[in-house]
Amino acid sequence: MTTPLFLLRCVQLGLSMGDLDFLTIGLVNDMFTERENDDCHYDVMADQRDFDAF
């Protein structure tokens, strides 16, 4: 990942330069990935029985 791409992702997430003092690059990447996944809808949602069986 390049610096401009990282900074673009920060802007897209609404992060300020001050916020970056408390966040790692990996955490910013995880936040961006989760934001992109917010629009995903799954056909089957796991419930407690599925977790117990896992």
Side-chain angles (χ1 to χ4, degrees):
M1 169 182 301
T2 63
T3 302
L5 179 58
F6 176 75
L7 293 174
L8 174 64
R9 288 185 175 174
C10 291
V11 169
Q12 290 172 329
L13 289 169
L15 299 174
S16 68
M17 292 303 285
D19 293 335
L20 296 181
D21 289 336
F22 304 105
L23 302 173
T24 64
I25 294 171
L27 186 56
V28 171
N29 284 336
D30 289 344
M31 291 169 61
F32 186 79
T33 301
E34 288 300 321
R35 189 189 71 123
E36 291 297 308
N37 288 338
D38 284 347
D39 296 331
C40 289
H41 299 286
Y42 300 98
D43 295 333
V44 178
M45 293 294 291
D47 58 12
Q48 188 61 46
R49 288 177 292 164
D50 296 321
F51 284 103
D52 292 343
F54 183 70

